[in-house]
Coordinates of all heavy atoms in Angstrom, one line a residue:
I16 N 120.9 128.2 3.0 CA 122.1 129.0 2.7 C 123.4 128.2 2.9 O 124.3 128.2 2.0 CB 122.2 130.3 3.5 CG1 121.0 131.2 3.1 CG2 123.5 131.0 3.2 CD1 120.8 132.4 3.9
D17 N 123.5 127.5 4.0 CA 124.7 126.7 4.3 C 124.4 125.6 5.2 O 123.5 125.7 6.1 CB 125.7 127.7 4.9 CG 127.1 127.1 5.0 OD1 127.8 126.8 4.0 OD2 127.5 126.8 6.2
D18 N 125.2 124.5 5.1 CA 125.1 123.4 6.0 C 125.7 123.5 7.3 O 125.4 122.8 8.3 CB 125.7 122.1 5.3 CG 124.8 121.6 4.2 OD1 123.6 121.8 4.3 OD2 125.4 121.1 3.2
D19 N 126.6 124.5 7.4 CA 127.4 124.7 8.7 C 126.5 125.3 9.7 O 126.4 126.6 9.8 CB 128.6 125.5 8.4 CG 129.4 125.8 9.7 OD1 129.4 124.9 10.6 OD2 130.1 126.8 9.8
G20 N 125.8 124.5 10.5 CA 124.9 125.1 11.5 C 123.5 125.3 10.9 O 122.6 125.7 11.6
Y21 N 123.3 124.9 9.7 CA 122.0 125.0 9.0 C 121.4 126.4 9.0 O 120.5 126.8 9.8 CB 121.0 124.1 9.7 CG 121.3 122.6 9.5 CD1 122.0 122.0 10.5 CD2 121.0 121.9 8.4 CE1 122.4 120.6 10.4 CE2 121.4 120.6 8.3 CZ 122.1 120.0 9.3 OH 122.4 118.6 9.1
Q22 N 121.9 127.3 8.1 CA 121.4 128.6 8.0 C 120.4 128.7 6.8 O 120.6 128.1 5.8 CB 122.6 129.6 7.6 CG 123.4 130.0 8.8 CD 124.3 128.9 9.3 OE1 124.9 128.2 8.5 NE2 124.5 128.9 10.6
F23 N 119.3 129.4 7.1 CA 118.2 129.4 6.1 C 117.7 130.8 6.0 O 117.7 131.6 6.9 CB 117.0 128.6 6.6 CG 117.2 127.1 6.7 CD1 117.7 126.5 7.8 CD2 116.9 126.3 5.6 CE1 117.9 125.2 7.9 CE2 117.1 125.0 5.7 CZ 117.6 124.4 6.8
L24 N 117.1 131.1 4.8 CA 116.3 132.3 4.5 C 114.9 131.7 4.6 O 114.6 130.7 3.8 CB 116.5 132.9 3.2 CG 115.5 134.0 2.8 CD1 115.5 135.2 3.8 CD2 115.6 134.4 1.4
R25 N 114.0 132.2 5.4 CA 112.6 131.7 5.5 C 111.7 132.8 5.0 O 111.8 133.9 5.5 CB 112.3 131.3 7.0 CG 110.9 130.8 7.1 CD 110.7 130.0 8.4 NE 111.2 128.7 8.2 CZ 111.4 127.8 9.1 NH1 111.0 128.1 10.3 NH2 111.9 126.6 8.9
V26 N 110.8 132.4 4.2 CA 109.8 133.3 3.6 C 108.4 132.7 4.1 O 107.9 131.8 3.5 CB 109.8 133.3 2.1 CG1 108.8 134.3 1.6 CG2 111.2 133.7 1.6
P27 N 107.9 133.4 5.1 CA 106.6 132.9 5.7 C 105.4 133.3 4.8 O 105.5 134.3 4.1 CB 106.5 133.5 7.1 CG 107.3 134.8 6.9 CD 108.4 134.5 5.9
F28 N 104.3 132.5 4.9 CA 103.1 132.9 4.2 C 101.9 132.4 5.0 O 102.1 131.5 5.9 CB 103.1 132.3 2.8 CG 103.2 130.8 2.7 CD1 102.1 130.0 2.9 CD2 104.5 130.3 2.4 CE1 102.3 128.6 2.8 CE2 104.6 128.9 2.3 CZ 103.5 128.0 2.5
R29 N 100.8 133.0 4.8 CA 99.6 132.6 5.5 C 98.4 132.5 4.5 O 98.4 133.3 3.5 CB 99.2 133.5 6.6 CG 98.9 134.9 6.2 CD 98.5 135.8 7.4 NE 98.5 137.2 7.0 CZ 97.5 137.7 6.3 NH1 96.4 137.0 5.9 NH2 97.5 139.0 5.9
A30 N 97.5 131.5 4.7 CA 96.4 131.4 3.8 C 95.4 132.5 4.0 O 95.1 132.9 5.2 CB 95.7 130.1 4.1
I31 N 95.0 133.1 2.9 CA 93.9 134.2 3.0 C 92.7 133.7 2.3 O 91.6 134.4 2.5 CB 94.4 135.5 2.5 CG1 94.9 135.4 1.0 CG2 95.6 136.1 3.3 CD1 95.1 136.7 0.4
D32 N 92.7 132.7 1.5 CA 91.6 132.1 0.9 C 91.8 130.6 0.7 O 92.6 130.2 -0.1 CB 91.4 132.8 -0.5 CG 90.1 132.3 -1.2 OD1 89.2 131.8 -0.6 OD2 90.1 132.5 -2.4
G33 N 91.1 129.8 1.5 CA 91.3 128.4 1.5 C 92.3 127.9 2.5 O 92.8 128.7 3.3
Q34 N 92.5 126.6 2.4 CA 93.5 126.0 3.3 C 94.7 125.5 2.5 O 94.5 125.3 1.3 CB 92.9 124.8 4.1 CG 91.9 125.2 5.1 CD 91.4 124.0 5.9 OE1 91.5 122.8 5.4 NE2 90.8 124.3 7.0
L35 N 95.9 125.4 3.1 CA 97.1 125.1 2.3 C 97.0 123.8 1.6 O 97.7 123.6 0.6 CB 98.3 125.2 3.2 CG 98.6 126.5 3.9 CD1 99.9 126.4 4.7 CD2 98.7 127.6 2.9
D36 N 96.2 122.9 2.1 CA 96.1 121.6 1.4 C 95.0 121.5 0.4 O 94.7 120.4 -0.1 CB 96.0 120.5 2.4 CG 94.7 120.5 3.2 OD1 94.1 121.6 3.2 OD2 94.3 119.5 3.8
S37 N 94.4 122.6 0.0 CA 93.3 122.6 -0.9 C 93.7 123.3 -2.2 O 94.6 124.2 -2.2 CB 92.0 123.3 -0.3 OG 92.3 124.7 -0.1
N38 N 93.1 122.9 -3.3 CA 93.3 123.5 -4.6 C 92.9 125.0 -4.6 O 91.9 125.3 -4.0 CB 92.6 122.8 -5.7 CG 93.2 121.4 -6.0 OD1 94.4 121.2 -5.8 ND2 92.4 120.5 -6.5
G39 N 93.7 125.8 -5.2 CA 93.3 127.2 -5.4 C 93.5 128.1 -4.1 O 93.0 129.2 -4.1
C40 N 94.3 127.6 -3.2 CA 94.6 128.3 -2.0 C 95.4 129.6 -2.3 O 96.4 129.5 -3.0 CB 95.3 127.5 -1.0 SG 95.8 128.4 0.5
T41 N 94.9 130.7 -1.8 CA 95.7 132.0 -2.0 C 96.4 132.3 -0.7 O 95.8 132.2 0.4 CB 94.7 133.1 -2.4 OG1 94.0 132.8 -3.6 CG2 95.5 134.4 -2.6
V42 N 97.6 132.7 -0.8 CA 98.4 133.0 0.4 C 99.0 134.5 0.3 O 99.1 135.0 -0.8 CB 99.6 132.0 0.6 CG1 99.1 130.6 0.8 CG2 100.6 132.1 -0.6
A43 N 99.3 135.0 1.5 CA 99.9 136.3 1.6 C 101.3 136.1 2.1 O 101.5 135.3 3.1 CB 99.1 137.3 2.5
I44 N 102.3 136.7 1.5 CA 103.7 136.6 1.9 C 104.0 137.5 3.1 O 103.6 138.6 3.2 CB 104.6 136.9 0.8 CG1 104.5 135.8 -0.3 CG2 106.1 136.9 1.2 CD1 105.3 136.1 -1.5
G45 N 104.7 136.9 4.1 CA 105.1 137.7 5.3 C 106.5 138.2 5.1 O 107.1 138.1 4.0
R46 N 107.1 138.8 6.2 CA 108.4 139.3 6.1 C 109.5 138.2 6.2 O 109.5 137.4 7.1 CB 108.7 140.2 7.3 CG 110.1 140.8 7.3 CD 110.3 141.9 8.3 NE 109.6 143.1 7.7 CZ 109.6 144.3 8.2 NH1 110.2 144.5 9.3 NH2 109.0 145.3 7.6
P47 N 110.3 138.1 5.2 CA 111.4 137.1 5.2 C 112.4 137.3 6.3 O 112.5 138.5 6.8 CB 112.1 137.4 3.8 CG 111.2 138.1 3.0 CD 110.4 138.9 3.9
F48 N 113.0 136.2 6.8 CA 114.0 136.4 7.9 C 115.0 135.3 7.7 O 114.8 134.2 7.1 CB 113.3 136.4 9.2 CG 112.5 135.2 9.6 CD1 113.0 134.1 10.2 CD2 111.1 135.1 9.2 CE1 112.2 133.0 10.5 CE2 110.4 134.0 9.5 CZ 110.9 132.9 10.2
L49 N 116.2 135.5 8.3 CA 117.3 134.6 8.4 C 117.2 133.9 9.7 O 117.0 134.5 10.8 CB 118.6 135.3 8.2 CG 118.8 136.1 6.9 CD1 120.0 137.0 7.0 CD2 118.9 135.2 5.7
L50 N 117.5 132.6 9.7 CA 117.5 131.8 11.0 C 118.6 130.7 10.9 O 118.9 130.3 9.8 CB 116.2 131.3 11.3 CG 115.7 130.0 10.6 CD1 114.8 129.2 11.5 CD2 114.9 130.5 9.3
S51 N 119.0 130.3 12.0 CA 120.0 129.2 12.2 C 119.4 128.2 13.1 O 118.7 128.5 14.1 CB 121.3 129.7 12.8 OG 122.1 130.4 11.9
H52 N 119.7 126.9 12.7 CA 119.4 125.8 13.6 C 120.7 125.1 13.9 O 121.5 124.9 13.0 CB 118.4 124.8 13.0 CG 117.0 125.2 12.9 ND1 116.3 125.6 13.9 CD2 116.2 125.4 11.8 CE1 115.1 125.9 13.5 NE2 115.0 125.8 12.2
K53 N 121.0 124.8 15.2 CA 122.2 124.1 15.5 C 121.7 122.7 16.1 O 120.9 122.7 17.0 CB 123.0 124.8 16.6 CG 123.8 125.9 16.0 CD 124.8 126.4 17.0 CE 125.5 127.6 16.4 NZ 126.5 128.1 17.3
Y54 N 122.1 121.7 15.4 CA 121.7 120.3 15.8 C 122.8 119.7 16.6 O 124.0 119.9 16.4 CB 121.4 119.5 14.6 CG 120.1 119.9 14.0 CD1 120.1 120.9 13.0 CD2 118.9 119.4 14.4 CE1 118.9 121.3 12.4 CE2 117.7 119.9 13.9 CZ 117.7 120.8 12.9 OH 116.5 121.2 12.3
Q55 N 122.4 118.8 17.6 CA 123.4 118.1 18.4 C 124.0 117.0 17.6 O 123.4 116.5 16.7 CB 122.8 117.6 19.7 CG 121.7 116.6 19.5 CD 121.0 116.3 20.8 OE1 121.5 116.7 21.9 NE2 120.0 115.5 20.8
Q56 N 125.2 116.7 17.9 CA 126.0 115.6 17.2 C 125.6 114.3 17.9 O 125.3 114.3 19.1 CB 127.5 115.9 17.3 CG 128.0 117.1 16.6 CD 127.8 117.0 15.1 OE1 128.0 116.0 14.5 NE2 127.4 118.2 14.5
G57 N 125.6 113.2 17.1 CA 125.4 111.9 17.7 C 123.9 111.6 17.9 O 123.0 112.1 17.2
I58 N 123.6 110.8 18.8 CA 122.3 110.3 19.1 C 121.5 111.3 19.9 O 122.0 111.8 20.9 CB 122.3 108.9 19.8 CG1 123.0 107.9 18.9 CG2 120.9 108.4 20.1 CD1 123.3 106.6 19.5
D59 N 120.2 111.4 19.5 CA 119.3 112.3 20.3 C 119.0 111.7 21.6 O 118.4 110.6 21.6 CB 118.1 112.6 19.4 CG 117.2 113.6 20.0 OD1 117.4 114.1 21.1 OD2 116.2 114.0 19.3
D60 N 119.3 112.4 22.7 CA 119.0 111.9 24.0 C 117.5 111.9 24.4 O 117.1 111.4 25.3 CB 119.8 112.5 25.1 CG 119.7 114.0 25.1 OD1 119.2 114.6 24.1 OD2 120.2 114.7 26.0

């Protein structure tokens, strides 16, 4: 949604038939949610 603090809408899903890395995988959608990540400035200690 925005770069200021990294705001996202996340739409989760889970495999119900197969694995995510396989052809023909069927997934079920979960409840969407909003989240923020705040990253530190500079070098990661």
